[in-house]
Amino acid sequence: MKRGALATGGAQLVKLICQIISVIVLSRLLQPEDFGIVAMAAPVVAFVGLFLDMGLTQATVQKKAITSAEINSLFWINMAVSALLGAIMILIAPFVAQFYGEPQVAPLVALMSLQLLVAGLGAQHYALVTRRMAFGRLAMLDSVSAVLGLAAAIVWAYYERTYWALFVGGMTTMICSTLGCWISSRWRPGMPRWVSGTKEMVNFGAGITGFNFANYFSRNIDQILIGRQWGNQQLGLYDRANRLLLFPLQQVIYPLGKVMVPALSRMNNEPERYRKAYLRVAPLLLFVALPGVAVAIAMADLLIPLALGRQWEGAVMIFQALGFAGMLQPLNSPAGWLFISQGRTRDFMLWGMFGAVTMTMAVIIGLPYGAFGVALAYAILEYLRTPLLWIYVGRTGAVEAKHILRVASPFVVGAHVAVALLWFLQSHLPGGSVVTLIIATILSYMIVTVIASLFAAGRETLAEVRILASRMLIIRLGGTKT
């Protein structure tokens, strides 16, 4: 699991760097309106794509024993669903353009149907590589695909400065990833055939699909309504702020889940081992992520112009509000690992429905105040939902709310203290924008470390950090593990 986490972490570092370069370079080559058009199409693709996987990749990963015939059945289900959904996207494209009052959205939505076909083609192959816990190979595929996708987007944007550059980049990434999974899995489909055992996995996947369906509204209702009421300018600002902050966080959490879900699934019959494994990883994730989020919030007026350019200064307050929601993302998102690895997909779906309803209410409350109002309402909601989530998760299973409170508090408290101190110290920090941000980042990690060391759980995690850091240093220096 350690090697898998390290490999996945390396791939995510590459993807994060690609994302940062993408934001910086493409934000200078393209206009806010271009990002706004893509952001208008994105919720539609996300909604249709909810039904693409049907939770079947997770079913393949989670099942203790699976046959080639069962995988073949799931592959053809994925293919049939992806073809149907692609056709639906082509049919609804004109209506999406009419909804937004933006004709350029229609051809973009229609061509994005190709992404669904490519994704369906590689879904089970990706699941097989994950099931084998070949995380090094997956890391290489993710890294190469991200770099090639970034290169394609930048080259296209350089020669033709339109929103099509973003489509080309995403399509390139997806094609490369699917081809890599076909090569790596060494499994090839046969003729379509339904076999016994498939129904059980389809039922398992239905719970995950139900959560994804509900979670779609939580993740996209804000952009849909901002685009509808405030237009592509406000939506473009909101989308860039959201991607610059929350997207990198998700790019750390999601792939780590690819390691944790199969690992935890194999520990279900060992509650103590299961609990220790999760409670060891969760605070490490918080220590890595939260100081960076604190810097982003406190130094947003420097970070946004530096990363995106002066034309994006209107996104600063939106970015800061989303930052407080981002404070809880590394804590709350991994709850999905527990639901899936324990087979509690129905509970997962019910929580997703609750999240969709409450997020819709928050967006409606904040919408009259523009994109900033929506971001602020979202942040407040995240603080209100967090204790409810962990009480719900802890009703059954090895990990209870009290365990999460113990390991998470040192770093969540420390990150909030870091935000307050950096806000106060900002005008006193030396150097230009880059130097100031570097100093602020160092200070943020120092502050969080000091606060966390006041808690017993925090000291345990910091000791683990020192051990991991020393091992990585030995490996880097060419030493051997003793």
Side-chain angles (χ1 to χ4, degrees):
M1 191 167 72
K2 288 181 182 178
R3 290 181 180 179
L6 288 174
T8 303
Q12 285 315 115
L13 180 60
V14 173
K15 292 173 72 175
L16 181 58
I17 292 171
C18 288
Q19 176 64 23
I20 293 171
I21 294 173
S22 172
V23 169
I24 293 172
V25 176
L26 293 178
S27 294
R28 283 166 166 75
L29 293 174
L30 304 177
Q31 297 300 314
E33 290 78 6
D34 293 316
F35 293 99
I37 290 170
V38 175
M40 288 176 176
V44 180
V45 178
F47 177 74
V48 175
L50 292 175
F51 306 96
L52 175 65
D53 177 69
M54 301 290 287
L56 299 182
T57 56
Q58 289 289 358
T60 299
V61 171
Q62 199 266 352
K63 192 175 183 183
K64 289 184 178 180
I66 189 168
T67 66
S68 179
E70 289 171 336
I71 297 168
N72 190 66
S73 292
L74 298 183
F75 171 83
W76 286 108
I77 292 173
N78 282 136
M79 286 304 302
V81 171
S82 63
L84 176 62
L85 294 177
I88 290 173
M89 281 190 61
I90 294 172
L91 291 174
I92 67 174
F95 301 102
V96 176
Q98 186 177 8
F99 174 81
Y100 284 115
E102 179 54 77
Q104 295 178 91
V105 175
L108 181 61
V109 170
L111 277 177
M112 280 183 165
S113 63
L114 295 175
Q115 294 183 351
L116 299 182
L117 293 174
V118 175
L121 192 63
Q124 286 303 310
H125 296 79
Y126 186 87
L128 285 172
V129 180
T130 303
R131 179 181 175 85
R132 294 169 186 160
M133 301 182 78
F135 299 118
R137 188 166 297 176
L138 283 174
M140 182 177 294
L141 289 176
D142 287 345
S143 299
V144 171
S145 299
V147 171
L148 292 177
L150 171 63
I154 291 175
V155 170
W156 189 286
Y158 182 79
Y159 288 103
E160 185 179 349
R161 302 193 176 190
T162 70
Y163 55 88
W164 287 110
L166 302 175
F167 167 79
V168 169
M171 193 70 188
T172 301
T173 297
M174 191 164 293
I175 291 173
C176 293
S177 179
T178 296
L179 286 175
C181 287
W182 268 71
I183 295 170
S184 300
S185 70
R186 302 188 302 275
W187 178 83
R188 299 294 179 265
M191 295 299 293
R193 183 184 177 188
W194 181 271
V195 298
S196 60
T198 304
K199 182 178 180 181
E200 176 188 346
M201 289 187 289
V202 170
N203 290 337
F204 176 91
I208 296 177
T209 302
F211 170 81
N212 290 338
F213 179 77
N215 195 48
Y216 161 83
F217 291 97
S218 297
R219 297 296 183 189
N220 293 281
I221 192 65
D222 48 357
Q223 297 199 32
I224 292 172
L225 295 184
I226 290 171
R228 172 70 171 173
Q229 182 158 329
W230 293 94
N232 58 14
Q233 177 71 19
Q234 281 275 300
L235 179 57
L237 293 173
Y238 186 90
D239 176 68
R240 287 293 92 184
N242 185 61
R243 284 183 175 273
L244 186 60
L245 180 69
L246 298 184
F247 185 78
L249 286 175
Q250 293 165 5
Q251 290 303 299
V252 173
I253 297 166
Y254 171 73
L256 186 56
K258 293 190 296 187
V259 177
M260 292 299 295
V261 169
L264 292 172
S265 296
R266 286 155 178 75
M267 302 179 194
N268 260 327
N269 296 327
E270 304 173 78
E272 186 66 24
R273 186 179 172 216
Y274 182 104
R275 179 166 52 250
K276 286 182 177 179
Y278 184 84
L279 296 180
R280 184 183 184 187
V281 172
L284 289 173
L285 175 60
L286 296 177
F287 176 73
V288 170
L290 292 189
V293 177
V295 172
I297 296 171
M299 315 298 287
D301 55 341
L302 291 178
L303 179 61
I304 294 296
L306 178 65
L308 305 182
R310 291 290 176 185
Q311 72 269 31
W312 295 91
E313 288 182 342
V316 169
M317 292 183 64
I318 299 170
F319 182 86
Q320 289 176 321
L322 289 173
F324 283 100
M327 281 284 198
L328 299 176
Q329 287 276 324
L331 172 62
N332 294 340
S333 293
W337 307 347
L338 302 179
F339 282 124
I340 295 172
S341 63
Q342 295 171 17
R344 296 166 57 190
T345 55
R346 184 175 181 275
D347 288 346
F348 198 28
M349 179 181 66
L350 292 176
W351 176 259
M353 291 179 178
F354 174 76
V357 171
T358 52
M359 183 63 182
T360 302
M361 293 171 60
V363 171
I364 291 173
I365 292 171
L367 194 61
Y369 307 97
F372 171 73
V374 171
L376 182 61
Y378 172 36
I380 293 171
L381 173 64
E382 199 70 8
Y383 281 83
L384 295 176
R385 287 192 305 200
T386 295
L388 300 179
L389 168 63
W390 288 105
I391 291 171
Y392 185 63
V393 171
R395 292 187 314 155
T396 59
V399 180
E400 300 177 17
K402 64 182 181 182
H403 300 137
I404 297 299
L405 179 64
R406 180 178 182 273
V407 299
S409 294
F411 301 98
V412 174
V413 171
H416 284 80
V417 172
V419 172
L421 291 179
L422 289 175
W423 247 329
F424 176 76
L425 294 172
Q426 180 179 359
S427 60
H428 303 287
L429 296 178
S433 297
V434 175
V435 174
T436 301
L437 287 171
I438 292 172
I439 294 173
T441 301
I442 294 171
L443 285 175
S444 182
Y445 276 92
M446 290 174 62
I447 292 166
V448 172
T449 299
V450 169
I451 298 299
S453 67
L454 301 177
F455 299 79
R459 291 192 294 272
E460 293 170 7
T461 299
L462 293 174
E464 181 73 15
V465 170
R466 287 193 294 271
I467 293 171
L468 291 174
S470 64
R471 288 178 179 173
M472 291 178 67
L473 181 61
I474 291 172
I475 293 172
R476 181 175 291 272
L477 294 176
T480 57
K481 184 178 177 183
T482 58

